[in-house]
């Protein structure tokens, strides 16, 4: 009998291990940044090329490595972070497996430069597919720089499996945000293809969250703090009215490590009970400190799931801490969804002292005026969306609603109902009967609001938000249920975009075609368009697509649903009639009627109030 078992050569073992550690460029970013944090760095810079497919470089100013360590760090199970099995129960570092660098070096070209503070010169090492290709002394600042080039160069299957640059970049941004959120005392920056994506100065948690998620985030945050024997909780939850339609901003950190925990997520959602609308998700940024002994990080190779000793207690503490905060910051009592909210003043307007309404009458306005009289004027500023709105109206205002459901079937069809958010039967209360709504008169205020009467008072509608809501629902329907019609262009439209933007457009191409765009070519740096949605004019296409790309760059969704949602939001916003646009009576009525045939007429797609009501009772009070 011959023996057939043999030990795998190191480079093969490393390649196999790499499969677990490195799924995509974002995993490399995570591992390298975590190493930089473990090295006690104050500044960490991440540089990416082509979504990390060409280059991922992490530069830190941490403690650096000696020459021997610089050689050693690429060995499998080489770590400075634990020495004995007991150390596993008192982990204070991110890494401990000693696998990351060995794995990364097995599947890419790595260049390491490192220098310790008290050394004169540093060490430079190049490793290609686990083999040291070159080693030298080098002059470099204190700290470590690791460049990872041509990831998966020797595993073509893996490389081909990578998603578009837009998607891979999104994953990188996600990982980057997670570590950056957990370590506000470290300065971070992220560059992609020469452009700066993030520049985050040293600060506190609140400011770091705001720096990452935008200036308005600060006012949406409610602090949460709790100290018990088993856990210390700090951080923030978002106010319920800012809850999102997607799960984007939900972060748990345990001992400064980002984790996913459906169970703890449930605790948060439970704390928000009764405060959230259906299918909306609260934001949270919660930092839990527990005794390292009480957790086992080892259960998941990429370490985003952990096991707690006393999960039940943690659940209860977390829930009550958040409930307490929501109550304390007066968030809870104000919202009360059990009441019939149909006639309520929208939340934003509650408790505001009444302002004397400033009624400005448009003296030129004459609801009985002939169509053509004003279309004339409106042609002057021919470039804006609003002018087009009017221009089209001049020819036939119906074209504005082409593709929308016809008037006689104001009820959304059943297919749509299934895929949509919950429906609030606002229609029933606002418009008692169809005849009723026919008679309703409307007028326009300040070229911005449509005012309409109700049985019980008056209704003031923000025309832009209302139209955005209408188009948004229409767009969602086009993308998911039945495609919209498009208008053929006489001459193809040729637009130029950069590679990154083209990537985004490619990703959206199918959905865009559902809304009425027809692309004949999306290649290199240009896009050729031969058909566009009926609601827009050729001159607006470029602006609309640019806005769309910008929206996707800011908020890249990682699943199909939120992608569709964002696309619909972005296009609806761009196509909707703007404030400052004069609307004739028919258009006003049309918007009102279409709005109340919507699933959620009360909120714009970005969750802002579309209309306010003023009841006779409220009016009576003002006259007392
Ligand atoms: P682990 O982080 O699990 O220990 P790695 O393969 O990520 O394993 O790193 C191996 C070792 O290399 C680390 O334990 C550390 O001593 C050293 N090292 C890696 N990156 C850095 C860095 N940026 N600065 C200083 N030392 C580093
Ligand atoms: Mg590591």
């Amino acid at each position: 009998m011959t023996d057939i078992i043999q030990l795998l050569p190191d480079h093969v073992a490393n390649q196999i291990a790499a499969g677990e550690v490195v799924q995509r460029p974002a995993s490399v970013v995570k591992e390298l940044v975590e190493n930089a944090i473990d090295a006690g760095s104050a500044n960490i810079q991440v540089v990416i090329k082509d979504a990390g497919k060409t280059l991922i470089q992490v530069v830190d100013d941490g403690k650096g490595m000696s020459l021997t360590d610089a050689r050693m760090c690429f060995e499998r199970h080489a770590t400075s972070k634990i020495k004995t099995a007991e150390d596993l129960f008192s982990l204070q570092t991110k890494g401990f497996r000693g696998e990351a660098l060995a794995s990364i070096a097995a599947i890419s070209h790595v260049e390491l430069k490192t220098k310790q503070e008290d050394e004169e010169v540093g060490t430079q090492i190049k490793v290609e597919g686990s083999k040291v290709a070159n080693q030298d002394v080098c002059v470099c600042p204190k700290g470590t720089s690791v460049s990872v080039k041509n990831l998966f160069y020797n595993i073509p299957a893996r490389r081909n499996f990578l998603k578009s640059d837009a998607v891979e970049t999104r994953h990188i941004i996600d990982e980057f945000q997670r570590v950056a959120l957990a370590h506000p005392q470290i300065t971070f920056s992220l560059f992609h293809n020469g452009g700066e994506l993030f520049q985050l100065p040293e600060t506190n948690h609140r400011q770091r969250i705001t720096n990452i998620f935008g200036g308005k985030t600060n006012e949406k945050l409610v602090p949460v703090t709790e100290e018990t024997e088993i856990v210390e909780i700090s951080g923030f939850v978002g106010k319920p009215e800012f809850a999102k339609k997607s799960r984007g901003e939900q972060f748990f950190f345990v001992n400064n490590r980002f984790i996913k925990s459906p169970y703890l997520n449930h605790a948060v959602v439970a704390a928000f009970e009764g405060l959230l609308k259906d299918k909306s998700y609260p934001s949270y940024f919660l930092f839990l400190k527990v005794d390292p002994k009480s957790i086992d990080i080892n259960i998941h190779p990429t370490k985003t799931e952990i096991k707690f000793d006393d999960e039940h207690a943690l659940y209860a503490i977390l829930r009550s801490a958040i409930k307490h905060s929501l109550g304390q910051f007066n968030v809870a009592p104000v919202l009360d969804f059990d009441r019939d909210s149909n006639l309520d003043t929208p939340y934003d307007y509650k408790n505001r002292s009444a302002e004397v309404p400033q009624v400005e009458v448009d003296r030129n306005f004459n609801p009985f005026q002939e169509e053509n009289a004003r279309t004339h004027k409106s042609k002057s500023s021919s470039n804006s969306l609003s002018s087009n709105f009017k221009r089209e109206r001049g020819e036939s205002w119906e074209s504005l609603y082409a593709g929308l459901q016809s008037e006689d079937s104001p009820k959304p069809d059943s297919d749509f109902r299934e895929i949509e958010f919950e429906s609030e039967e606002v229609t029933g209360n606002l418009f008692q009967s169809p005849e009723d709504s026919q008679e309703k008169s409307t007028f326009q205020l300040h070229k911005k609001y449509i005012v309409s009467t109700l049985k019980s008072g008056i209704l003031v509608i923000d025309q832009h938000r209302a139209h955005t809501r209408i188009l948004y629902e229409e767009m969602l329907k086009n993308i998911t249920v039945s495609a919209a019609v498009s208008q053929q262009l006489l001459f193809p439209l040729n637009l130029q975009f950069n590679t990154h933007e083209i990537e985004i457009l490619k990703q959206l191409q199918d959905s865009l075609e559902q809304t009425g765009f027809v692309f004949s070519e999306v290649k290199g740096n240009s896009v050729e368009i031969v058909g566009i949605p009926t609601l827009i004019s050729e001159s607006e296409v470029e602006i609309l697509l640019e806005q769309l790309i910008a929206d996707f760059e800011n908020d890249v969704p990682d699943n199909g649903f939120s992608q569709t949602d964002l696309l619909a939001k972005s296009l609806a916003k761009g196509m909707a009639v703007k404030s400052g646009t004069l609307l004739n009576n028919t258009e006003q009525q049309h918007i009102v009627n279409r709005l109340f045939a919507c699933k959620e007429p009360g909120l714009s797609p970005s969750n802002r109030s579309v209309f306010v009501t003023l009841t006779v009772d409220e009016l009576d009070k003002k006259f007392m």
Side-chain angles (χ1 to χ4, degrees):
M1 273 268 189
T2 48
D3 300 329
I4 53 170
I5 298 178
Q6 56 180 354
L7 280 176
L8 287 176
D10 267 354
H11 71 276
V12 180
N14 284 337
Q15 258 196 31
I16 295 170
E20 275 206 343
V21 180
V22 186
Q23 277 114 25
R24 50 177 13 125
S27 333
V28 176
V29 173
K30 173 175 187 275
E31 292 298 336
L32 297 183
V33 172
E34 287 190 347
N35 279 348
I37 293 171
D38 285 344
S41 311
N43 281 285
I44 299 175
Q45 196 180 56
V46 183
V47 180
I48 304 293
K49 266 198 198 132
D50 303 324
K53 294 169 185 172
T54 311
L55 172 76
I56 299 163
Q57 183 180 18
V58 174
V59 185
D60 69 48
D61 60 355
K63 64 180 179 221
M65 284 179 262
S66 68
L67 190 150
T68 322
D69 283 355
R71 282 296 289 245
M72 267 296 277
C73 73
F74 293 106
E75 297 295 324
R76 206 141 64 96
H77 306 308
T79 180
S80 55
K81 299 169 194 175
I82 55 170
K83 290 196 171 66
T84 67
E86 279 81 70
D87 293 346
L88 275 175
F89 302 102
S90 54
L91 277 177
Q92 301 293 342
T93 54
K94 309 253 164 207
F96 59 88
R97 293 160 167 262
E99 278 180 336
L101 288 179
S103 300
I104 294 167
I107 51 167
S108 65
H109 298 151
V110 178
E111 191 177 319
L112 169 81
K113 283 184 186 174
T114 186
K115 187 180 94 70
Q116 292 178 308
E117 178 137 51
D118 42 11
E119 295 294 328
E120 291 272 296
V121 288
T123 308
Q124 172 180 336
I125 294 181
K126 282 188 186 168
V127 185
E128 294 181 358
S130 293
K131 290 194 186 65
V132 176
N134 177 35
Q135 178 182 333
D136 220 335
V137 289
C138 74
V139 179
C140 57
K142 169 208 165 198
T144 303
S145 154
V146 183
S147 304
V148 175
K149 292 179 187 160
N150 312 321
L151 188 66
F152 298 131
Y153 79 99
N154 50 359
I155 318 181
R158 259 303 169 81
R159 206 173 159 88
N160 295 337
F161 180 72
L162 292 177
K163 298 271 174 26
S164 68
D165 281 8
V167 172
E168 294 302 340
T169 306
R170 179 69 236 179
H171 283 289
I172 290 173
I173 292 173
D174 279 347
E175 290 295 355
F176 177 85
Q177 287 180 344
R178 290 168 183 175
V179 271
L181 281 171
H183 298 275
Q185 74 289 357
I186 299 176
T187 301
F188 283 97
S189 56
L190 173 62
F191 295 85
H192 184 216
N193 290 340
E196 178 186 290
L197 294 182
F198 290 96
Q199 181 69 55
L200 305 171
E202 170 194 354
T203 178
N204 57 24
H205 273 135
R206 186 173 193 132
Q207 208 40 54
R208 176 61 53 97
I209 295 168
T210 305
N211 287 344
I212 291 180
F213 294 102
K216 290 204 194 102
T217 316
N218 192 24
E219 62 209 60
K220 301 179 189 169
L221 300 177
V222 178
V224 179
T225 48
E226 181 66 270
E227 230 173 279
T228 68
E229 288 214 332
I230 64 165
V231 62
E232 255 176 56
I233 301 171
S234 64
F236 303 89
V237 293
K239 291 180 185 165
E241 71 265 33
F242 297 111
K244 303 199 133 205
K245 290 278 179 209
S246 74
R247 293 174 198 267
E249 298 170 4
Q250 301 190 328
F251 297 88
F252 279 121
F253 299 89
V254 172
N255 297 353
N256 285 338
R257 188 194 294 280
F258 170 82
I259 61 137
K260 286 185 184 148
S261 169
Y263 186 67
L264 293 185
N265 174 65
H266 194 273
V268 179
V269 174
F272 273 87
E273 199 194 326
L275 298 174
L276 294 174
K277 295 190 134 199
D278 260 7
K279 300 212 177 89
S280 65
Y281 304 94
S283 301
Y284 56 81
F285 310 88
L286 294 165
F287 302 88
L288 279 55
K289 263 211 175 73
V290 298
D291 185 342
K293 272 201 223 59
S294 73
I295 49 174
D296 177 4
I297 304 174
N298 231 354
I299 63 170
H300 195 272
T302 47
K303 295 171 283 185
T304 53
E305 276 161 31
I306 64 175
K307 211 168 150 318
F308 297 97
D309 273 358
D310 199 351
E311 231 174 15
H312 291 308
L314 215 52
Y315 183 102
I317 295 167
L318 190 61
R319 194 178 74 147
S320 80
I322 295 171
K323 262 199 145 135
H324 180 73
S325 296
L326 289 173
Q328 203 180 16
F329 285 85
N330 228 352
V331 179
V334 186
L335 272 176
D336 185 354
F337 284 110
D338 286 335
R339 290 174 52 199
D340 178 359
S341 56
N342 292 341
L343 292 175
D344 264 346
T345 321
Y347 180 54
D348 278 0
Y349 290 82
K350 280 220 157 160
N351 303 334
R352 281 210 200 160
S353 58
E355 286 167 23
V356 183
Q358 304 233 314
V359 182
E360 257 187 50
V361 178
D362 180 0
R363 290 180 196 285
N364 296 326
F365 175 70
N366 172 1
F368 305 105
Q369 202 170 4
E370 276 297 305
E371 274 294 292
N372 339 4
R374 266 178 294 116
T375 37
H376 231 69
K377 253 195 304 186
S378 62
K379 284 199 174 171
S380 49
S381 57
S382 68
N383 231 1
S384 72
L385 278 182
S386 48
S387 69
N388 176 58
F389 179 87
K390 276 191 265 173
R391 189 189 64 224
E392 293 211 343
R393 183 204 60 192
E395 290 144 12
S396 121
W397 59 263
E398 284 97 333
S399 69
L400 185 66
Y401 301 99
L404 296 194
Q405 288 160 317
S406 71
E407 262 313 277
D408 14 27
S409 59
K411 268 196 127 205
D413 68 53
S414 54
D415 282 352
F416 189 33
R417 190 171 281 274
E418 263 160 37
I419 55 138
E420 249 306 293
F421 317 117
E422 97 280 16
S423 156
E424 280 183 3
E425 294 298 332
V426 178
T427 326
N429 284 342
L430 289 174
F431 295 127
Q432 297 300 332
S433 69
E435 304 90 68
D436 228 29
S437 67
Q438 290 303 310
E439 286 165 14
K440 227 163 291 303
S441 58
T442 57
F443 68 91
Q444 199 185 11
L445 188 65
H446 225 85
K447 293 189 197 150
K448 191 173 176 194
Y449 298 110
I450 301 171
V451 182
S452 175
T453 52
L454 293 173
K455 219 168 199 161
S456 54
I458 59 167
L459 180 67
V460 183
I461 300 170
D462 182 310
Q463 66 187 42
H464 172 68
R465 291 186 192 171
H467 199 205
T468 309
R469 163 53 66 180
I470 295 165
L471 293 174
Y472 166 72
E473 294 200 1
E474 188 60 30
M475 217 72 76
L476 275 183
K477 191 176 135 197
N478 290 152
I479 301 170
T480 51
V481 186
S482 58
V485 280
S486 61
Q487 45 170 324
Q488 292 287 311
L489 296 176
L490 209 49
F491 302 103
L493 190 63
N494 225 298
L495 301 175
Q496 302 298 310
F497 294 98
N498 72 31
T499 327
H500 181 54
E501 293 166 338
I502 292 277
E503 275 322 306
I504 295 178
L505 283 178
K506 277 188 187 157
Q507 213 186 321
L508 299 176
Q509 189 172 346
D510 287 349
S511 304
L512 281 170
E513 293 188 329
Q514 291 283 105
T515 69
F517 282 96
V518 184
F519 296 91
S520 54
E521 197 172 80
V522 182
K523 214 169 83 192
N525 282 333
S526 75
V527 174
E528 196 175 81
I529 299 172
V530 291
I532 58 176
T534 46
L535 297 186
I536 57 173
S537 80
E538 209 175 317
S539 60
E540 291 149 13
V541 173
E542 187 164 12
I543 308 170
L544 213 60
L545 291 182
E546 274 173 8
Q547 183 57 51
L548 183 71
I549 290 167
D551 287 346
F552 270 77
E553 274 176 334
N554 288 335
D555 186 10
V556 184
D558 48 19
N559 64 47
F561 174 75
S562 39
Q563 169 169 322
T564 306
D565 190 58
L566 184 55
L567 179 86
K569 268 185 197 157
S570 176
L571 290 181
K573 190 177 67 192
M575 287 159 71
V577 54
K578 301 281 181 289
S579 299
T581 310
L582 202 59
L583 301 175
N584 72 20
N585 224 27
T586 323
E587 289 163 346
Q588 295 166 22
Q589 295 262 346
H590 222 89
I591 287 188
V592 176
N593 292 338
R594 290 295 316 155
L595 177 66
F596 290 103
C598 283
K599 299 277 182 185
E600 243 184 313
L603 285 178
S604 74
S606 47
N607 276 331
R608 295 200 290 180
S609 307
V610 172
F611 58 83
V612 294
T613 57
L614 189 59
T615 63
V616 177
D617 282 352
E618 284 164 330
L619 275 172
D620 286 346
K621 280 197 199 113
K622 288 184 199 297
F623 286 105
M624 287 215 284

